[in-house]
Amino acid sequence: KKMSQQQKLWVALVKERLYNLGWSQTQLAESVGVAKATISELFKYGKGSRQLKQKISEILEIESEEN
């Protein structure tokens, strides 16, 4: 299943935020409390629960598109 345009934009935003903070995917995974593989899947396929995306948005202070 392909990612929607909205998901792609969100993932791009998250990646940009990580880059600006100098964070790795591992650091993000740790701060959200998931395995790094979970973050990889999310970035690659947009796979992940709404809660996970919400949590990431909160941690990185990204306006959530979902609500």
Side-chain angles (χ1 to χ4, degrees):
K1 187 171 164 279
K2 286 179 63 146
M3 267 199 266
S4 70
Q5 200 52 41
Q6 198 178 15
Q7 282 177 312
K8 281 184 188 164
L9 284 173
W10 182 82
V11 167
L13 200 56
V14 170
K15 286 182 175 175
E16 186 185 348
R17 213 36 159 242
L18 288 183
Y19 178 80
N20 291 337
L21 289 167
W23 278 23
S24 64
Q25 285 187 25
T26 306
Q27 280 168 298
L28 177 62
E30 282 169 5
S31 46
V32 188
V34 297
K36 182 187 174 291
T38 307
I39 300 294
S40 301
E41 294 252 294
L42 180 61
F43 282 5
K44 249 187 236 152
Y45 313 109
K47 272 177 26 190
S49 70
R50 207 190 154 110
Q51 275 168 311
L52 173 63
K53 292 175 184 176
Q54 190 66 49
K55 221 167 171 184
I56 291 172
S57 293
E58 280 168 21
I59 286 173
L60 298 178
E61 293 173 0
I62 291 170
E63 288 297 310
S64 183
E65 293 281 324
E66 307 273 296
N67 310 347

